[in-house]
Amino acid sequence: DVKVTQSSRYLVKRTGEKVFLECVQDMDHENMFWYRQDPGLGLRLIYFSYDVKMKEKGDIPEGYSVSREKKERFSLILESASTNQTSMYLCASSLISQRSNQPQHFGDGTRLSIL
Amino acid sequence: AQSVTQLGSHVSVSEGALVLLRCNYSSSVPPYLFWYVQYPNQGLQLLLKYTSAATLVKGINGFEAEFKKSETSFHLTKPSAHMSDAAEYFCAVTDSSYKLIFGSGTRLLVRP
């Protein structure tokens, strides 16, 4: 069965800290994604990666960076955490398809609070 | 640019009643459309997907959705609501770069 694992369910950090959110998938998927979810705004794409060491900015990349050194692992980095980055973060993965019809598979999310 | 609109941030139904969650999309190319469900404190789970093979798509847990090109809609329905259906539902459409564009979500409340 498909499995996307996020390293932490809940995380509390302080303003200015460097924060790492980790995501691992066991399905050999090429694509991986990081979203943040806020009430009333749905899911907004932060970054995505379609191959090892490849990344593309999503809709809201400011204040974030990513790392994909291995196919199965995609890390989201908050360089200097701020209170407006308090949110639910969701990782997802999918197969590459020329017809773009492959669904994304999601982890259970990390609820991050920045104090 | 593609976009998704979900009408109604909250929908409340009685147990056993019809569930109807609305989704309208805009797309300049033939779309691929998805419905996801999110239970409290969990990630998103795929309910069903439209990939042009059939306009009526059946998904898990008794849900189905009908693609109507003329109305640019992909509404989600279930004939009889169950208490366990209470969750948040998201409609999504793909763009050409494998990214999903999500609607803002509809929270379904089921009254006993």
Side-chain angles (χ1 to χ4, degrees):
Chain A
D1 199 11
V2 166
K3 189 68 175 176
V4 177
T5 303
Q6 295 183 231
S7 55
S8 303
R9 293 298 304 276
Y10 301 93
L11 208 52
V12 180
K13 296 291 183 181
R14 296 205 173 274
T15 302
E17 280 193 69
K18 191 169 186 176
V19 181
F20 293 85
L21 302 183
E22 307 287 345
C23 175
V24 176
Q25 51 96 1
D26 65 358
M27 298 158 287
D28 203 33
H29 285 172
E30 293 86 0
N31 298 327
M32 295 190 76
F33 306 83
W34 275 107
Y35 295 89
R36 65 177 283 175
Q37 182 181 17
D38 300 289
L41 297 177
L43 277 74
R44 293 179 292 168
L45 182 65
I46 305 171
Y47 267 97
F48 76 101
S49 168
Y50 50 90
D51 201 353
V52 175
K53 298 190 185 296
M54 304 303 290
K55 61 185 179 184
E56 284 197 25
K57 293 180 180 179
D59 301 316
I60 51 165
E62 296 77 18
Y64 303 94
S65 63
V66 290
S67 173
R68 192 162 181 205
E69 297 295 320
K70 294 184 178 181
K71 189 176 185 179
E72 68 270 19
R73 186 179 297 272
F74 193 35
S75 303
L76 179 69
I77 304 156
L78 285 65
E79 297 291 344
S80 177
S82 64
T83 54
N84 63 11
Q85 292 178 310
T86 291
S87 187
M88 169 73 95
Y89 290 86
L90 291 166
C91 176
S93 70
S94 72
L95 283 169
I96 276 185
S97 167
Q98 287 187 341
R99 295 187 297 164
S100 302
N101 63 347
Q102 294 298 321
Q104 292 182 15
H105 302 271
F106 285 82
D108 283 337
T110 296
R111 191 167 293 281
L112 176 64
S113 295
I114 306 297
L115 304 179
Chain B
Q2 294 176 313
S3 66
V4 174
T5 302
Q6 291 184 241
L7 293 175
S9 59
H10 291 80
V11 170
S12 181
V13 300
S14 298
E15 192 173 18
L18 172 72
V19 175
L20 171 61
L21 305 182
R22 299 177 186 275
C23 172
N24 288 88
Y25 70 92
S26 67
S27 176
S28 57
V29 297
Y32 295 108
L33 294 154
F34 304 82
W35 274 101
Y36 284 86
V37 60
Q38 185 179 34
Y39 298 103
N41 297 316
Q42 294 186 25
L44 276 68
Q45 178 182 356
L46 180 69
L47 269 180
L48 50 82
K49 65 178 183 179
Y50 167 73
T51 58
S52 76
T55 56
L56 183 62
V57 183
K58 294 188 183 299
I60 62 171
N61 302 337
F63 284 93
E64 61 183 35
E66 186 172 10
F67 173 71
K68 292 187 177 180
K69 185 178 178 180
S70 61
E71 299 177 7
T72 61
S73 69
F74 190 56
H75 301 330
L76 182 70
T77 60
K78 182 174 181 178
S80 176
H82 191 273
M83 296 297 291
S84 61
D85 294 326
E88 190 156 21
Y89 293 80
F90 292 92
C91 182
V93 63
T94 58
D95 71 5
S96 57
S97 63
Y98 317 116
K99 293 187 292 184
L100 278 177
I101 311 299
F102 285 90
S104 55
T106 298
R107 187 168 297 278
L108 176 66
L109 308 171
V110 182
R111 303 185 302 271

